[in-house]
Amino acid sequence: MKPLHFVSMFLTCLSTFGLLRAAEPLPFSSELTTVLSDRYPHGVEDLKLLEEQVQLVAAQAVPATVEVEIGRSIGSGVIISKEGLVLTAAHVIGRPGRRATLVLADGRRLKGRTLGAHHWMDAGMVQITDPPGDLPFAPLAPEEAVEIGQWVVATGQPGGILDDRSPPVRLGRVLAADDQWICTDCTLVGGDSGGPLFNMRGEVMAIHMSIGPEVVHNFHVPVTEIRPVWEKMLQGEVWGGEVAERDHDGNWAVLGLAGRTINERTVVTQVFGGFPAEAAGVLPGDQIVAVDGQAIASILQLTETISRKSPGDTIHLELMRNAHVMELDVMLSSIGEPLPGSFDPSSSEAQPESREQP
């Protein structure tokens, strides 16, 4: 079953159910429990029950989903308390104490400040400075096992808030899971980073951390992994990243791509428009083999290599595309703020392990 995209339906849904402030887990009927536990829906009635539950989840999820604006960086997040605490990805916020703007689905723009971040895990927090009394928020999922095949709902604000679009809602299933990550077939795109993954009770079970090598092969950090470091992030601590050197104008060298390490291969998952990688002809799916003759075995290694360069340096890229070797010369440009939905290299002390944007 392909992931379903509900857009206009949920605009109607929100007007029907209202902005739900009471962040409570949604109930299950015995019939719905059976549908959710089966491998797939067995008929129209099963699909109707599933659709009705997704509408209820969306009515709770969409109002709590926010756009996170920090400098030139734009990502997604989710409000998880009436006091205005927002969960997002570490690579969206970068470091603590930065001014943030949180844009709600109803168009309201609220001011906030970044708190702590765990860059290895790719989880971070933002605090809304003056939360309104009617602030919508979503409940956190309890400590429970994630099951393969479990139905889930993903929201986010890719591309930022749009007048004619609520946060897109995507229905999918868990493909694989480990203690430190969940992989689903919920379609994610650039800008979804930091957005929430909900279970079918409308509870936040994970935060989007990276787009996989395919659009329906994406990764999320479980809330169960965030809980042990909750207090550290609340206190503004940041760890798991290396401070990159800036040039005399306060800028970093930038290549302009995102990628993942897959079986010791550095696979490009996204190429940012207007940056050197795009101009040189790098494409999503390319494998970066070497930089200036140095073998590259991980996205971390590529990021560290670029971080030692200066804006204006030319690097020699070797890459694999469709089993063919290609060589490209790329002149690095400069950037003063992190790319939209990317890691801020000035944020902490050691780089993320396998998810990065050089």
Side-chain angles (χ1 to χ4, degrees):
M1 184 176 182
K2 294 181 179 180
L4 305 180
H5 295 260
F6 304 93
V7 180
S8 60
M9 181 184 76
F10 284 117
L11 292 174
T12 303
C13 177
L14 287 178
S15 63
T16 301
F17 293 102
L19 297 179
L20 302 184
R21 282 191 59 250
E24 299 291 340
L26 300 171
F28 284 174
S29 65
S30 58
E31 293 82 4
L32 178 62
T33 300
T34 300
V35 171
L36 295 178
S37 61
D38 286 343
R39 291 186 62 185
Y40 51 84
H42 293 284
V44 173
E45 292 305 316
D46 285 2
L47 288 171
K48 285 182 177 179
L49 285 172
L50 182 60
E51 181 182 22
E52 290 170 0
Q53 190 66 20
V54 173
Q55 289 183 9
L56 292 172
V57 172
Q60 180 154 286
V62 168
T65 301
V66 295
E67 174 189 333
V68 181
E69 299 178 359
I70 302 172
R72 289 176 53 191
S73 179
I74 299 177
S76 300
V78 59
I79 307 169
I80 49 88
S81 77
K82 64 181 180 181
E83 291 80 21
L85 185 62
V86 176
L87 282 183
T88 184
H91 71 257
V92 171
I93 70 169
R95 61 183 184 272
R98 303 178 73 186
R99 290 192 296 271
T101 299
L102 297 309
V103 187
L104 277 62
D106 62 12
R108 283 183 290 175
R109 300 175 66 87
L110 306 177
K111 298 301 181 183
R113 285 278 179 178
T114 60
L115 299 178
H118 187 339
H119 284 283
W120 219 341
M121 182 189 300
D122 205 4
M125 290 180 175
V126 179
Q127 177 63 53
I128 297 174
T129 53
D130 189 17
D134 63 344
L135 187 69
F137 61 97
L140 292 177
E143 300 273 354
E144 61 182 20
V146 176
E147 298 181 2
I148 306 303
Q150 177 179 342
W151 290 98
V152 290
V153 170
T155 59
Q157 280 286 24
I161 190 78
L162 301 177
D163 292 339
D164 59 350
R165 187 203 72 184
S166 65
V169 178
R170 288 139 288 183
L171 175 65
R173 306 186 87 167
V174 174
L175 302 178
D178 198 343
D179 290 340
Q180 298 181 335
W181 51 264
I182 298 170
C183 178
T184 76
D185 61 2
C186 293
T187 302
L188 299 182
V189 296
D192 274 318
S193 293
L197 184 73
F198 291 88
N199 60 24
M200 295 303 285
R201 293 188 183 275
E203 300 167 317
V204 179
M205 60 185 293
I207 297 298
H208 313 323
M209 64 182 182
S210 66
I211 301 170
E214 299 180 9
V215 72
V216 288
H217 190 199
N218 299 296
F219 293 85
H220 322 261
V221 56
V223 168
T224 52
E225 278 295 290
I226 301 175
R227 281 196 171 97
V229 296
W230 195 272
E231 290 301 321
K232 292 180 67 175
M233 287 197 289
L234 279 177
Q235 294 168 11
E237 295 187 38
V238 174
W239 66 106
E242 176 185 357
V243 178
E245 294 295 327
R246 292 192 179 206
D247 66 9
H248 63 278
D249 292 322
N251 295 320
W252 296 286
V254 62
L255 178 56
L257 60 80
R260 287 191 58 79
T261 303
I262 303 174
N263 298 327
E264 297 186 352
R265 294 178 296 119
T266 305
V267 180
V268 177
T269 58
Q270 184 176 3
V271 178
F272 294 94
F275 286 92
E278 181 191 52
V282 179
L283 299 176
D286 288 347
Q287 299 175 30
I288 305 297
V289 176
V291 175
D292 294 336
Q294 175 190 356
I296 298 295
S298 69
I299 192 64
L300 168 59
Q301 189 177 7
L302 176 61
T303 301
E304 290 176 337
T305 300
I306 299 302
S307 72
R308 292 192 291 268
K309 303 292 184 178
S310 299
D313 287 351
T314 297
I315 62 171
H316 186 72
L317 282 183
E318 296 177 41
L319 55 86
M320 292 286 294
R321 180 183 298 167
N322 299 324
H324 297 289
V325 177
M326 298 182 62
E327 299 187 19
L328 302 171
D329 288 324
V330 186
M331 179 181 290
L332 302 176
S333 62
S334 64
I335 190 170
E337 292 287 345
L339 293 171
S342 70
F343 175 69
D344 178 352
S346 72
S347 60
S348 44
E349 299 176 358
Q351 293 283 10
E353 181 177 28
S354 62
R355 303 172 300 277
E356 190 56 87
Q357 292 80 14

